[in-house]
C-alpha cells in the first residue's frame, strides 16, 4: 500500500514552518526523521494534504548543557544521542533507552522530537521524559509554550500539541551525581516494539530509596509514571513491602491487548520489571524473583 497523494513543502526556518502550520493546521503533518510518519501514511492510517519537511533546520539539532539544565533540540537524532558525551555523562538513563530504539537504520534517521510527537505508547523515550521530569518546548503563533512531560502525552498517538504548534526542544534537569537509574524492556527481539518496559531513576541512601520514579511503557494508552513507587520510598524493602508495591502497581495498570500480549501477561511482566529494578538499584539479588512469588 502507498500513501495518498499529498503536497510537500520544505521549511526554510522555524518561522517558515510555523507559517505553514498556521495556514494549513490539521491538514498538515510535520516530517522530521520520517520513521513513524511515513509508515503510518503508507498504511493509510493518516492522509495529510501537506507534508512540512523540517529535517534541514540545523537550529533544532544538538545537545547543550547550561548549568544543571540539559537542552536537546527536537531534530537531534537517536544516533547522535547515543554518541553524545553530554547525554552519557548527564542523562545516562536516556542513553540506555536509546540503545533499545528499533535498529541502527531507524536510529540514524529518527529524531527525539519526532518520537515524542508521535507518542507511541510502546516507545522508550516518552517514558524516559516522564521519569526525568522533562519539559517539552513547543512554539506556535502565540509564541513559546512549556509543557511538563506529565501533561504532554494524552493518549495513543495524541499529545498536548495543537495543530499550529511545533515541538522545538526538550529540557531536562541534570540528575545529581549520586542518582542511579534502571532501564529494561521485554521485546520478542531486540529492536522490536516493547511488550512492557520500565525506565527508572532513583536516589539510594543506606540501602533505602529516598526517591524513586518509575516510568512504565507499553502498559496502556500512554507512558505511566507509577504512583506505586511511593510504597518503596523511605522504608526497608522486604518481600512483603515489595508485594504491597506489586498490588498497588496492579491497580494502576490498564494494559491493552494486541497481537503481542494479553493484559494479564503485561501485568505480570510489569511486576517482573519492578522486581528486577528494585533488586538492581539496591543490589539485592534476593528481591529479583519477588514478582513470581
Amino acid at each position: 500500500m502507498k500513501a495518498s497523494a499529498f503536497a510537500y513543502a520544505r521549511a526554510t526556518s522555524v518561522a517558515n514552518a510555523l507559517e505553514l502550520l498556521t495556514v494549513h493546521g490539521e491538514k498538515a503533518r510535520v516530517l522530521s526523521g520520517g520513521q513513524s510518519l511515513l509508515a503510518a501514511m503508507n498504511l493509510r492510517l493518516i492522509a495529510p494534504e501537506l507534508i512540512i519537511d523540517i529535517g534541514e533546520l540545523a537550529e533544532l539539532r544538538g545537545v547543550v548543557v547550561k548549568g544543571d539544565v540539559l537542552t536537546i533540540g527536537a531534530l537531534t537524532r537517536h544516533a547522535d544521542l547515543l554518541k553524545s558525551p553530554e547525554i552519557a555523562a548527564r542523562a545516562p538513563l536516556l542513553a540506555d533507552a536509546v540503545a533499545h530504539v528499533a535498529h541502527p537504520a531507524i536510529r540514524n534517521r529518527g529524531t527525539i522530537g519526532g518520537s515524542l510527537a508521535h507518542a507511541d505508547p510502546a516507545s522508550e523515550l516518552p517514558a524516559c521524559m516522564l521519569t526525568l521530569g522533562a519539559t517539552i518546548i513547543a512554539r506556535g503563533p502565540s509564541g513559546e509554550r512549556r509543557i511538563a512531560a506529565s501533561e504532554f502525552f494524552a493518549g495513543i498517538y495524541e499529545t498536548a500539541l495543537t495543530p499550529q504548534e511545533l515541538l522545538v526542544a526538550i529540557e531536562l534537569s541534570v540528575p545529581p551525581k549520586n542518582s542511579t537509574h534502571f532501564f529494561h524492556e521485554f521485546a520478542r527481539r531486540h529492536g522490536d516494539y516493547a511488550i512492557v518496559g520500565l525506565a527508572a531513576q532513583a536516589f539510594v541512601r543506606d540501602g533505602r530509596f529516598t526517591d524513586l520514579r518509575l516510568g512504565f511503557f507499553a502498559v496502556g494508552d500512554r507512558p505511566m509514571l507509577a504512583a506505586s513507587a511511593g510504597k518503596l520510598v523511605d522504608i526497608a524493602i522486604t518481600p512483603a513491602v515489595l508485594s504491597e508495591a506489586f498490588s498497588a502497581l496492579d491497580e494502576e495498570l490498564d494494559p491493552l491487548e494486541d497481537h503481542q500480549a494479553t493484559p494479564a501477561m503485561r501485568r505480570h511482566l510489569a511486576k517482573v520489571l519492578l522486581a528486577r529494578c528494585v533488586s538492581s538499584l539496591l543490589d539485592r539479588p534476593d528481591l529479583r524473583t519477588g514478582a513470581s512469588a
Side-chain angles (χ1 to χ4, degrees):
M1 191 178 293
K2 294 184 178 180
S4 301
F6 59 89
Y8 172 88
R10 175 172 289 180
T12 57
S13 65
V14 171
N16 179 225
L18 292 176
E19 289 172 1
L20 292 167
L21 285 172
T22 299
V23 172
H24 297 278
E26 294 182 354
K27 297 178 181 179
R29 287 297 178 103
V30 174
L31 174 68
S32 51
Q35 301 308 293
S36 299
L37 176 64
L38 296 181
M41 290 173 62
N42 286 338
L43 290 171
R44 300 289 180 99
L45 298 176
I46 56 174
E49 295 180 7
L50 174 67
I51 293 297
I52 303 171
D53 187 349
I54 64 169
E56 298 302 316
L57 302 185
E59 60 195 289
L60 297 183
R61 208 179 300 278
V63 178
V64 177
V65 180
K66 289 186 178 180
D68 61 352
V69 176
L70 183 69
T71 303
I72 306 171
L75 289 185
T76 305
R77 292 175 177 158
H78 302 319
D80 296 327
L81 293 173
L82 273 176
K83 293 183 290 187
S84 168
E86 291 84 6
I87 296 295
R90 295 173 172 85
L93 170 63
L94 190 55
D96 283 0
V98 172
H100 288 78
V101 173
H103 305 283
I106 302 296
R107 294 195 293 268
N108 285 338
R109 292 292 304 172
T111 65
I112 185 171
S115 176
L116 300 185
H118 186 58
D120 188 326
S123 180
E124 294 85 357
L125 300 189
C128 289
M129 297 303 108
L130 281 182
T131 299
L132 294 171
T135 298
I136 312 300
I137 302 174
R139 207 170 293 167
S142 302
E144 189 171 280
R145 189 161 68 106
R146 301 170 65 82
I147 311 166
S150 58
E151 300 175 358
F152 184 76
F153 304 102
I156 299 177
Y157 310 133
E158 294 182 9
T159 71
L161 290 173
T162 70
Q164 290 79 35
E165 286 183 315
L166 183 67
L167 195 164
V168 296
I170 301 96
E171 278 186 3
L172 300 170
S173 294
V174 177
K177 291 183 179 180
N178 61 339
S179 66
T180 185
H181 70 280
F182 171 91
F183 185 91
H184 192 73
E185 66 180 40
F186 289 115
R188 298 194 181 279
R189 294 175 302 177
H190 182 82
D192 283 1
Y193 283 106
I195 299 172
V196 176
L198 172 58
Q201 190 81 22
F203 291 91
V204 178
R205 183 185 300 123
D206 299 327
R208 298 188 181 194
F209 292 115
T210 58
D211 188 47
L212 177 63
R213 293 173 65 87
L214 303 171
F216 284 92
F217 55 101
V219 294
D221 68 351
R222 68 197 78 181
M224 182 190 84
L225 193 63
S228 49
K231 298 282 186 182
L232 302 169
V233 174
D234 293 327
I235 189 172
I237 306 299
T238 64
V241 167
L242 193 54
S243 181
E244 288 183 12
F246 291 153
S247 297
L249 176 62
D250 201 52
E251 291 180 5
E252 290 186 83
L253 296 175
D254 186 20
L256 305 175
E257 181 165 4
D258 57 24
H259 67 283
Q260 292 214 93
T262 63
M265 180 179 177
R266 285 194 160 95
R267 288 179 183 277
H268 171 71
L269 292 179
K271 294 174 201 173
V272 171
L273 283 178
L274 177 54
R276 292 185 180 184
C277 172
V278 172
S279 172
S280 174
L281 295 180
L282 295 181
D283 193 20
R284 291 273 305 277
D286 59 302
L287 298 173
R288 186 176 177 85
T289 57
S292 59

